[in-house]
Amino acid sequence: MIKRIPKRLRRPKTSKYQKTENNTFFSEKEFIIRANGRTKVFKISSRIQWIIFISLIAFALWGTYSYQLYSISDRIISYQERKLYETRDAYVDLMSDFVTVHNNISGMVENISVSENNHIDEYLKKAQVIEEKIRQITANEDWINEENLDNKNALREALIKKDIALEEKKLLEEKVKHLEEMIKSLQDIEIELLKKVETISNKEIDTMKASISTINKEIKKRGKYFNPLANSKKDNKGGVYIPDNIALATNKTINLQTTKTFNSIDDNNYYREILKKIPLGKPVWSYWLSSPFGKRKDPFNAKSARHKGVDLASNKGNKIKTMADGKVTKSGTGTGYGKVVEIDHGNGFKTKYAHMNAIYVKKGDFVTQGQAIGEVGNTGRSTGPHLHYEILYEGAHLDPMVFIKANQ
């Protein structure tokens, strides 16, 4: 018996058109355009469709990447600009503080003797050099210039690449570091200058205290004492302005040294004011002592007598100057004194000038330290041109030579 082998079923054939249409979305496309009775057919192959699709995907990815990069760069540049403005504000504050302190120190120096000024000239020059260097930084660096900064803001969209933004940030940090070094150098010079001014001021205070101590030895012989601090400084207000701001407060070393220096200057000014009321120094520029204070032989009868002042022989017409501020309480003639002037200096001190050739002031006038009040003469009970000079404290006569030498 012969077995029959079944035939294999064959798949129905499909056209090429049907296979393409069912297997892919990017099958060949035909576009038919009819116009004016004419028909045009445009075909877009699968390959071209793939190219267009991939291009769209690439464009979308590039747009997303660009947006993220722009966002990151924008934050970096914003941080840079904020840091820049903070640095510029700090620079302006520093320069303001420097100018204030520099002006205050200049004010101090004016109150200090000329001979001592030479010792701090080099420090003032250093401060000026540092100030000029910082000004040069301001002039030469375009990141501080407002116009260039505005230009950078206008071109910010063109500088969205990350490496450019980071490079600018790096440059900015270097400039900030350089400025901080300049600030530190300036602060070191300020501290050095303040210490020098404090030293000079304290030296002058010691000199003034020594002069007061010298005349107190003479005053104590009369059972009295002059207290230079009798007028309390508690309620006295004024002096040089010391800035109170964060920039100074944050640097404790500068703040402490500034306080010490200005306290010394305040004490210096106080003692200077006190000494303006004490007749220290010689009332005539050139003289020789012809008769001392105390017991002496009278020049007319050779008898023992008490001399209330000193006779300072000098050329007729030489100027007589008062050595302290005060008010003229007598101007005219007196028995034995000839032409005489008497001045009340306050704090218990008075001075008297006799045998004058001419008088420049009248009763009631206020005179200042170093002001000429008349001329050396030979009026009254006198044997030749000289100045009879007396100093009184609370009514007691003192040796004027102590006061003259105390200021030398």
Side-chain angles (χ1 to χ4, degrees):
M1 183 175 182
I2 299 172
K3 291 184 181 179
R4 299 178 68 179
I5 300 173
K7 293 182 180 181
R8 296 177 64 181
L9 297 176
R10 293 181 180 179
R11 291 183 182 178
K13 291 183 179 181
T14 57
S15 66
K16 184 178 181 181
Y17 174 78
Q18 289 176 332
K19 183 178 180 180
T20 303
E21 185 180 43
N22 293 334
N23 290 343
T24 178
F25 177 77
F26 297 105
S27 61
E28 185 178 67
K29 302 292 191 301
E30 290 183 352
F31 295 92
I32 301 173
I33 301 176
R34 291 179 180 179
N36 298 326
R38 294 181 180 180
T39 301
K40 290 184 178 181
V41 179
F42 295 93
K43 293 181 180 182
I44 302 177
S45 67
S46 176
R47 182 180 179 183
I48 294 176
Q49 293 179 55
W50 272 106
I51 292 174
I52 294 174
F53 177 74
I54 293 172
S55 298
L56 290 174
I57 294 297
F59 181 78
L61 292 174
W62 179 83
T64 303
Y65 172 77
S66 297
Y67 175 78
Q68 292 295 329
L69 184 59
Y70 175 83
S71 178
I72 294 172
S73 299
D74 184 70
R75 288 196 296 270
I76 292 173
I77 294 173
S78 296
Y79 170 79
Q80 170 207 4
E81 290 177 351
R82 185 171 66 255
K83 186 72 174 177
L84 174 61
Y85 280 115
E86 290 175 357
T87 304
R88 291 172 70 247
D89 290 342
Y91 168 80
V92 172
D93 290 341
L94 173 71
M95 286 305 300
S96 177
D97 294 336
F98 175 78
V99 171
T100 301
V101 174
H102 185 69
N103 290 339
N104 289 341
I105 291 175
S106 297
M108 299 178 206
V109 174
E110 290 179 358
N111 291 328
I112 298 175
S113 62
V114 175
S115 61
E116 297 290 353
N117 280 350
N118 295 330
H119 296 290
I120 64 174
D121 281 347
E122 57 181 298
Y123 299 98
L124 290 175
K125 291 178 180 177
K126 287 182 181 179
Q128 291 172 355
V129 168
I130 294 298
E131 182 182 3
E132 181 61 28
K133 285 184 178 179
I134 293 181
R135 287 176 178 169
Q136 289 175 0
I137 293 175
T138 305
N140 295 332
E141 298 296 343
D142 60 357
W143 60 276
I144 295 180
N145 186 280
E146 291 286 354
E147 182 179 354
N148 291 330
L149 187 62
D150 291 340
N151 292 336
K152 283 193 175 183
N153 290 336
L155 296 174
R156 184 175 61 182
E157 292 183 358
L159 301 175
I160 63 174
K161 290 186 178 180
K162 186 177 180 179
D163 55 344
I164 296 178
L166 291 175
E167 183 65 22
E168 287 199 351
K169 180 175 179 291
K170 181 180 178 181
L171 290 174
L172 174 62
E173 289 175 345
E174 291 176 355
K175 291 173 182 178
V176 170
K177 182 180 179 181
H178 180 63
L179 179 59
E180 288 174 348
E181 291 174 354
M182 297 298 294
I183 291 172
K184 178 63 168 57
S185 178
L186 174 61
Q187 290 174 340
D188 291 342
I189 288 182
E190 284 181 355
I191 293 173
E192 187 178 5
L193 177 58
L194 287 168
K195 286 181 179 179
K196 187 65 177 180
V197 172
E198 180 191 9
T199 300
I200 295 172
S201 178
N202 288 338
K203 182 179 178 181
E204 285 201 347
I205 291 173
D206 292 341
T207 300
M208 289 185 284
K209 286 182 177 180
S211 296
I212 294 174
S213 177
T214 299
I215 64 172
N216 258 327
K217 291 179 182 179
E218 176 68 13
I219 293 174
K220 286 179 181 179
K221 293 179 181 179
R222 309 295 181 266
K224 301 178 183 297
Y225 177 76
F226 170 66
N227 181 11
L229 302 178
N231 298 324
S232 175
K233 297 191 292 181
K234 289 190 303 181
D235 300 326
N236 297 350
K237 299 179 180 180
V240 185
Y241 166 72
I242 305 176
D244 181 16
N245 54 46
I246 297 176
L248 279 181
T250 53
N251 192 317
K252 293 183 180 180
T253 304
I254 290 182
N255 193 31
L256 178 61
Q257 187 58 53
T258 300
T259 301
K260 290 175 61 180
T261 301
F262 278 91
N263 284 340
S264 176
I265 291 296
D266 182 58
D267 291 341
N268 189 303
N269 289 335
Y270 179 81
Y271 277 98
R272 281 175 175 273
E273 290 300 317
I274 292 297
L275 291 186
K276 284 182 180 180
K277 302 291 184 179
I278 303 176
L280 298 176
K282 52 186 180 181
V284 288
W285 178 251
S286 61
Y287 71 90
W288 63 95
L289 182 63
S290 58
S291 184
F293 173 82
K295 290 184 179 180
R296 69 166 185 173
K297 289 184 178 181
D298 184 84
F300 288 92
N301 56 29
K303 293 182 179 180
S304 178
R306 182 170 176 268
H307 198 206
K308 296 181 179 181
V310 292
D311 290 341
L312 306 177
S314 186
N315 295 326
K316 184 178 180 180
N318 281 353
K319 296 292 187 295
I320 300 171
K321 297 181 179 180
T322 177
M323 292 293 99
D325 297 349
K327 182 180 180 180
V328 179
T329 54
K330 183 175 182 179
S331 177
T333 57
T335 303
Y337 285 106
K339 292 182 179 180
V340 61
V341 170
E342 186 178 85
I343 300 174
D344 186 349
H345 302 285
N347 294 328
F349 289 99
K350 290 184 178 181
T351 52
K352 185 179 291 186
Y353 313 81
H355 308 305
M356 299 170 70
N357 179 62
I359 297 175
Y360 298 162
V361 294
K362 60 182 182 300
K363 184 177 180 180
D365 286 350
F366 287 93
V367 293
T368 58
Q369 188 179 53
Q371 179 178 335
I373 59 172
E375 300 173 3
V376 173
N378 189 30
T379 60
R381 194 168 182 267
S382 172
T383 59
H386 73 283
L387 169 65
H388 175 79
Y389 183 44
E390 297 181 12
I391 296 179
L392 299 87
Y393 178 70
E394 294 182 350
H397 284 83
L398 307 173
D399 185 356
M401 293 305 300
V402 174
F403 288 76
I404 293 174
K405 293 179 179 179
N407 199 44
Q408 294 179 351

